[in-house]
Amino acid sequence: MASGCRDCRTCTKSLLGRTGRNVLYTVSLSWLVKPVFLRNCPQCGHVLRRHQRRGDGSFQD
């Protein structure tokens, strides 16, 4: 017996369609959440934790 109903558009969507939708949701969510929770470099836009730092904590240029 199928887990979904046969008339629902969501239940009858193909595996490729469901996977694509999940990937789209994940990518869009991470794209929206990243600027809010992670600090980015104002110069290059990359995440600050990826920048090299000196022993005193300042950034290497």
Side-chain angles (χ1 to χ4, degrees):
M1 186 170 206
S3 62
C5 60
R6 64 180 177 88
D7 297 324
C8 178
R9 206 167 55 186
T10 303
C11 293
T12 58
K13 190 173 282 198
S14 69
L15 177 63
L16 183 61
R18 288 190 308 253
T19 304
R21 183 185 62 205
N22 290 341
V23 168
L24 179 66
Y25 287 161
T26 303
V27 168
S28 62
L29 182 64
S30 66
W31 181 72
L32 292 171
V33 169
K34 180 186 170 199
V36 174
F37 292 107
L38 299 175
R39 294 181 58 201
N40 295 330
C41 174
Q43 190 173 19
C44 68
H46 293 128
V47 179
L48 279 180
R49 65 183 167 87
R50 292 189 171 263
H51 285 278
Q52 296 293 324
R53 295 180 186 248
R54 293 189 188 105
D56 63 356
S58 63
F59 292 109
Q60 289 179 335
D61 293 325

